[in-house]
Amino acid sequence: MEWETVIGLEIHAQLSTTSKIFSGAATAYGAAPNTQACAVDIALPGVLPVMNKGAVERAIKFGLAIGANINRESVFARKNYFYPDLPKGYQISQYELPIVGKGDITIQVGDQEKVVGITRAHLEEDAGKSLHEDFHGMTGVDLNRASTPLLEIVSEPDMRSSAEAVAYAKTMHSLVQYLDICDGNMQEGSFRCDANVSVRPKGTEKFGTRCEIKNLNSFRFLERAIEYEVVRQIDILESGGKIAQETRLYDSDKDETRAMRSKEEAFDYRYFPDPDLLPMKLSAEMIAEIQKTLPELPDAKRRRFIQQYGLSSYDAAVLTATKAMAAYFENVVNSVGAPNAKTAANWVMGDLAGVLKRDSLEITHSPVPADKLAGLVARIADNTISGKIAKEVFEAMWNGEGDADAIIESKGLKQITDSGAIEKIIDGIIAANPEQLAQYRSGKDKLFSFFVGQAMKATQGKANPQQLHDLLKKKLAG
Ligand code: ADP
Ligand code: MG
């Protein structure tokens, strides 16, 4: 039987406020355990939560960006469960009335576009952390993370493959960073996904029973976990078994998912409105003010790049993946002019991205800044150097040897465009290789590249490739 995968994602994005969602304690990552947990966070008797306006503003910003309805009144609820890293015995979350209602987002999978529905997004507090590795035979509890603001973004079960799920997660990851509401740091847990996965016979309507894989903190783990889970579920169903609805963990060392607990239902949590927090009412003015602060969103930027610079949809998607990369690219184009946008795009996505990755650098810390790369692209555009020689120049720029013009000058890399000079070189090569010439003229076309190679060698790669090609064709024909 052929099976179809169905995936819905819950994403937890830590909101980038300096203080916590219900207390004044700091949210900064990496402090010594329990140094950033105040009386509210550790749930001493008699304390009361106070809503952080910065968290609310960020949630609204997100809602507006996905075209969702912002609920003018929303309610905080207690989600009751027991765990050592949750000192209150409940998590303050939103249940029946979340701040952000239905919206959607467009994702790009290969060269296909797809719209994924967002069911809701709600505000909640994070829990602390249990430290299982630091103390032998014991578990430590660090409450620094307790009460850090989270936006939980729940998608519709609209994705049909791990590739779509990864594309969706990447799009969200890029969006929250564009909006400046989350730092997106996945290693530090600022952005993590739960994947709900089920399978159904292809062509049928009814969803299969899902499993939820918790806390995936890299795109690669998200992909691997889904792939493993799909195979596991199909195996069970094809051998006549049933899928148990459960929460599972992905073990990246073993590359498999494991059952964690059977799935709890909403009633297990005994949700009820938190009596310590009033229903949250938002004014139309507040929402309108936030609307004004929305930046150009990735999707709009991508469309503009296609239209304004004539880029392919793929190139535009790569270049707008982060705000910093898009800004870098536009700085290069502003200086070399839109007709050279494609060359600029190739350099940013190719050589530059390659060395940034190799040297683990962010584009904002590139040793070759945008105006310097523009200097190189300009020399390719005006035929001073060929694209091939440009790679050598770029490597030297990267190593701090100066800007493009200085390097071209000092290394003597200027392209030879004087056709008389190129002709002379060709004549010499033809004269020195009579045998190859005869073979070429008797139909061995492949030898053309032999002559190109000889000429390039003679000019240290500096002959203008197009001129060389044309002149060689002419001369070899006799
Ligand atoms: P819960 O709190 O029980 O996890 P939520 O409503 O918060 O429930 O989240 C459910 C998530 O699971 C959503 O992202 C939804 O799209 C997804 N989902 C629901 N049913 C299925 C299914 N049969 N297969 C895959 N994903 C599903
Ligand atoms: Mg869930």
Side-chain angles (χ1 to χ4, degrees), residues 9-10 12 79 152 154 194-196 210 212 214 247 261 263-264 269:
L9 293 187
E10 293 161 81
H12 288 91
K79 181 179 181 180
E152 175 170 339
V154 183
D194 300 341
N196 294 271
R210 69 178 152 127
E212 179 173 353
K214 282 280 182 197
T247 301
R261 53 173 189 255
K263 174 75 185 161
E264 55 293 300
Y269 288 121

Side-chain angles (χ1 to χ4, degrees), residues 50-67:
V50 177
M51 186 73 224
N52 181 340
K53 195 175 171 198
V56 179
E57 289 166 348
R58 284 167 176 77
I60 295 172
K61 207 169 175 188
F62 173 80
L64 293 172
I66 59 160

Side-chain angles (χ1 to χ4, degrees), residues 6-10 79 119 152 154-158 196-198 207-210 212 245 263-264 271:
V6 173
I7 304 161
L9 293 187
E10 293 161 81
K79 181 179 181 180
T119 316
E152 175 170 339
V154 183
S155 85
E156 292 289 307
D158 283 349
N196 294 271
V197 180
S198 66
F207 286 144
T209 303
R210 69 178 152 127
E212 179 173 353
Q245 185 167 342
K263 174 75 185 161
E264 55 293 300
Y271 280 101

Side-chain angles (χ1 to χ4, degrees), residues 235-287:
D235 278 352
I236 292 176
L237 293 170
E238 291 196 334
S239 55
K242 271 200 164 125
I243 305 297
Q245 185 167 342
E246 62 192 4
T247 301
R248 300 179 68 85
L249 262 188
Y250 174 69
D251 180 336
S252 57
D253 292 330
K254 298 203 173 112
D255 190 28
E256 63 179 29
T257 67
R258 271 202 303 276
M260 207 169 127
R261 53 173 189 255
S262 69
K263 174 75 185 161
E264 55 293 300
E265 299 287 344
F267 57 75
D268 292 324
Y269 288 121
R270 294 171 293 120
Y271 280 101
F272 63 88
D274 192 320
D276 289 344
L277 287 156
L278 292 169
M280 188 166 61
K281 295 196 172 153
L282 306 174
S283 68
E285 292 75 48
M286 180 182 184
I287 297 172

Side-chain angles (χ1 to χ4, degrees), residues 34-52:
N34 299 309
T35 55
Q36 286 176 179
C38 71
V40 176
D41 308 332
I42 65 175
L44 292 187
V47 298
L48 287 172
V50 177
M51 186 73 224
N52 181 340

